[in-house]
Amino acid sequence: ERRIAESGGGLVQAGGSLRLSCTASEFTFDDYAISWFRRAPGKDREGVSSIAIHDGSTRYADSVKGRFTISSDSAKRTVYLQMNNLKPEDTAVYYCAADVQVAYGADWLRYWEYDYWGQGTQVSVSS
């Protein structure tokens, strides 16, 4: 069964760091883009970052540029989101999602078009 799953969430103080992982199984990893979204209570889903596995191209939301870094390891079929200098406003459930079209130029923010979604992992940042 094709699936992706997140791990690595937790509780940190403001200014701290966390690394999220998104691991894929049973599909051709290198054909896809993997994106991170988040949803905070009472807010809309927000695109955080995206990476096209085949060429390593990346995208970031303005709110996380300079603080978050996305990377991939094809051998481990895993995408990482390194989150530094975390702020209370980063508190949310973080989801990873996979899509082939995004890897080849489709708008990565169109979350409703993604093929696969993880179950989410909670990130909480205290002030």
Side-chain angles (χ1 to χ4, degrees), residues 55-66:
D55 67 2
S57 58
T58 59
R59 302 169 182 88
Y60 294 94
D62 288 344
S63 59
V64 305
K65 281 180 181 176

Side-chain angles (χ1 to χ4, degrees), residues 52-126:
I53 304 302
H54 73 280
D55 67 2
S57 58
T58 59
R59 302 169 182 88
Y60 294 94
D62 288 344
S63 59
V64 305
K65 281 180 181 176
R67 300 188 298 123
F68 291 11
T69 302
I70 193 169
S71 62
S72 66
D73 184 335
S74 290
K76 295 183 178 179
R77 304 170 66 81
T78 298
V79 166
Y80 302 100
L81 184 69
Q82 179 65 44
M83 306 186 295
N84 297 329
N85 191 21
L86 282 160
K87 303 175 180 180
E89 52 263 43
D90 294 317
T91 295
V93 178
Y94 284 69
Y95 300 88
C96 64
D99 189 77
V100 171
Q101 300 303 319
V102 171
Y104 295 94
D107 185 352
W108 71 283
L109 293 173
R110 295 170 67 89
Y111 64 87
W112 56 91
E113 295 189 353
Y114 279 74
D115 295 328
Y116 304 102
W117 286 86
Q119 79 287 353
T121 187
Q122 177 71 47
V123 171
S124 299
V125 185
S126 63

Side-chain angles (χ1 to χ4, degrees), residues 9-59:
L11 172 64
V12 295
Q13 290 187 329
S17 297
L18 282 173
R19 188 178 77 162
L20 304 183
S21 300
C22 175
T23 301
S25 60
E26 304 300 326
F27 58 83
T28 308
F29 186 71
D30 288 1
D31 287 346
Y32 283 75
I34 305 292
S35 300
W36 288 95
F37 293 84
R38 65 187 181 186
R39 174 168 268 174
K43 295 188 177 180
D44 291 335
R45 190 177 332 212
E46 175 188 18
V48 175
S49 185
S50 183
I51 185 167
I53 304 302
H54 73 280
D55 67 2
S57 58
T58 59
R59 302 169 182 88

